[in-house]
Amino acid sequence: MQRSLEQRMAIKFCVKLQKSAAETIPMLKKAFGVDCLSDRQIFRWHKAFAEGRKDVNDENRAGRPSASSSDDNVKRVRDLLNTDRPLSVRFISETLDITKTIVHEIVSESLGMRKVCAKLVPKSFNFIFLQTG
């Protein structure tokens, strides 16, 4: 995300220097290499800046915001797991009214846990269960 912001600033700079989009593309490719925006995106941003756009940030998009990393959901899942460890993702999902994929992401990514012997435990404890099992 940060790279594309830098590239948009570079495109805006090229527009101010009155460089064409065709002149801008090779400069960006040389500067950013494999992380460079596509030619189509460079043309789109070049045109927007040439037409007077000032802001380099993306516009807000319609749609449902991601709920996976909301602090409230992470706290709710953590609190439920702290009451009784042997809970399934499905049970947590139904209890808290959060989709199973989001619960799984919270448990594995945000809380750093995984299922061992039908219990959700912190990933750092895995080696203990594997050695004693």
Side-chain angles (χ1 to χ4, degrees):
M1 184 63 143
Q2 185 64 25
R3 282 278 192 181
S4 60
L5 186 62
E6 291 174 11
Q7 291 179 55
R8 285 181 240 146
M9 287 184 216
I11 295 168
K12 185 175 179 180
F13 181 73
C14 288
V15 168
K16 286 186 176 261
L17 293 177
Q18 299 180 344
K19 300 286 185 189
S20 70
E23 292 172 309
T24 302
I25 290 171
M27 290 189 289
L28 282 169
K29 287 188 178 190
K30 184 174 183 181
F32 294 98
V34 295
D35 293 329
C36 188
L37 293 171
S38 68
D39 292 2
R40 184 179 178 123
Q41 287 295 318
I42 295 170
F43 275 110
R44 186 177 73 82
W45 281 102
H46 190 280
K47 180 180 179 193
F49 292 130
E51 291 174 349
R53 181 180 174 129
K54 303 282 185 221
D55 191 13
V56 294
N57 294 312
D58 281 325
E59 296 171 348
N60 291 332
R61 297 180 189 174
R64 185 176 174 187
S66 173
S68 62
S69 59
S70 80
D71 293 335
D72 182 48
N73 284 342
V74 173
K75 183 183 180 322
R76 290 171 59 210
V77 171
R78 181 185 301 118
D79 291 345
L80 186 59
L81 284 172
N82 285 337
T83 61
D84 187 19
R85 289 269 184 201
L87 300 175
S88 69
V89 170
R90 178 179 289 146
F91 178 81
I92 295 168
S93 170
E94 291 169 358
T95 303
L96 300 178
D97 194 30
I98 304 172
T99 64
K100 287 190 303 184
T101 55
I102 302 240
V103 170
H104 186 271
E105 184 178 317
I106 289 171
V107 168
S108 62
E109 301 296 323
S110 299
L111 300 178
M113 302 176 111
R114 70 183 248 185
K115 194 172 188 175
V116 176
C117 302
K119 288 189 176 187
L120 290 167
V121 297
K123 288 181 181 177
S124 59
F125 292 140
N126 286 344
F127 72 94
I128 295 170
F129 288 109
L130 294 175
Q131 289 177 347
T132 61

